[in-house]
Amino acid sequence: MSDSTIAPANQDLPTKLTLMALSRCPIFPDIFTPFMITAAEDIKLIEDCVAGGGVLGIVMQKNDAEEPEVSDLYDVGTAARIIKKITLPDGGLNVFISTQKRFKIIKTLKKKDPMTVLVEYLQDEEDNSFVVKALTRTLISEMKEISENNPLFSEEMRQNMVEIDQPGKIADFITSILNLEKKEQQRVLEMTNVRQRMETVLVFIKKEQELLKMQKKIQT
């Protein structure tokens, strides 16, 4: 794949994935985002992944291992398709990925160099009840209140949140922009029950609102 090539995003996802470990927060499905790759081993991983079809698994580490193995990672991650890569003058890569679906590791094929696993893809347990519809409206309304009082939330973020048309994706998006501990974000990533996911995220929003109120009291 050349620097200008864009990969098709509608291909079937493979059940055999090469993994990239994240030491920071997990990444959720349905996000288009750039990655800066500088470490030699990660550059090779990306190059090999592109040559093999352009799909990799992104999983958060459970610990601070400098050279993580599969056992150092959580079981649930997100499959991502490499859409574009740009080679930088210093030899690093700027990689644009489109995250696709949640997966669960079911078997380790190679524990490192590179980490390779078999996965099963997780489906959202949809719920079209009035409760979920009410939760959807509540999540958007409560997040608007937070975003209007927080300069870190851009107008683009607010617009993106309103335009999402699936309850599970709304919960994912809000989780990805809230100031949460990475373990809490991972817990949401592992939830396939949409109603449970939304109820959990609503609790996080309420905590954030309480923190903002306390912050205002301290400032005044």
Side-chain angles (χ1 to χ4, degrees):
M1 183 184 295
S2 67
D3 289 352
S4 60
T5 300
I6 297 179
N10 57 356
Q11 298 175 358
D12 291 335
L13 296 172
T15 55
K16 178 182 176 182
L17 289 177
T18 299
L19 301 183
M20 173 177 283
L22 290 181
S23 56
R24 54 185 189 277
C25 58
I27 189 167
F28 288 82
D30 298 296
I31 292 174
F32 181 81
T33 186
F35 263 94
M36 293 294 295
I37 308 294
T38 56
E41 60 271 21
D42 288 338
I43 291 174
K44 184 178 186 306
L45 186 151
I46 293 296
E47 297 287 4
D48 291 346
C49 182
V50 167
V55 179
L56 75 159
I58 300 176
V59 191
M60 193 175 77
Q61 289 183 223
K62 294 184 289 188
N63 52 41
D64 297 324
E66 293 185 6
E67 297 182 3
E69 300 179 0
V70 175
S71 58
D72 296 310
L73 309 180
Y74 284 94
D75 291 336
V76 176
T78 305
R81 193 175 298 281
I82 299 172
I83 302 299
K84 186 177 182 180
K85 70 178 181 68
I86 299 173
T87 303
L88 303 175
D90 62 0
L93 293 177
N94 191 9
V95 179
F96 294 85
I97 65 167
S98 173
T99 55
Q100 307 284 303
K101 295 189 70 172
R102 289 167 164 82
F103 67 78
K104 182 175 183 179
I105 298 171
I106 57 174
K107 184 178 181 180
T108 299
L109 300 178
K110 193 176 180 184
K111 65 180 183 179
K112 62 183 300 184
D113 300 327
M115 294 179 286
T116 309
V117 297
L118 288 179
V119 305
E120 61 179 5
Y121 291 96
L122 305 178
Q123 303 294 332
D124 278 355
E125 299 170 24
E126 301 287 355
D127 184 342
N128 295 318
S129 67
F130 285 110
V131 174
V132 167
K133 292 177 181 178
L135 280 168
T136 301
R137 292 184 180 183
T138 302
L139 286 177
I140 293 175
S141 175
E142 299 288 347
M143 274 304 296
K144 279 184 178 179
E145 180 182 330
I146 290 177
S147 65
E148 287 169 358
N149 296 307
N150 191 331
L152 295 178
F153 290 90
S154 66
E155 184 59 35
E156 182 182 4
M157 282 185 179
R158 297 187 189 100
Q159 188 63 32
N160 287 341
M161 182 174 60
V162 172
E163 290 178 352
I164 298 172
D165 59 356
Q166 296 182 30
K169 291 182 180 181
I170 290 173
D172 286 347
F173 179 77
I174 292 174
T175 304
S176 70
I177 61 177
L178 282 177
N179 184 26
L180 299 173
E181 292 185 8
K182 59 185 183 181
K183 287 184 178 180
E184 291 177 328
Q185 290 186 318
Q186 178 67 29
R187 183 157 66 94
V188 174
L189 182 67
E190 294 177 4
M191 291 180 180
T192 56
N193 184 289
V194 170
R195 178 172 171 176
Q196 180 187 15
R197 193 189 305 167
M198 298 180 81
E199 290 172 341
T200 301
V201 174
L202 184 58
V203 172
F204 292 151
I205 291 175
K206 293 296 185 182
K207 288 181 179 178
E208 183 70 17
Q209 288 174 335
E210 290 301 317
L211 285 173
L212 289 173
K213 289 177 183 177
M214 182 67 68
Q215 185 179 359
K216 284 184 178 180
K217 287 183 179 179
I218 293 172
Q219 290 174 341
T220 56

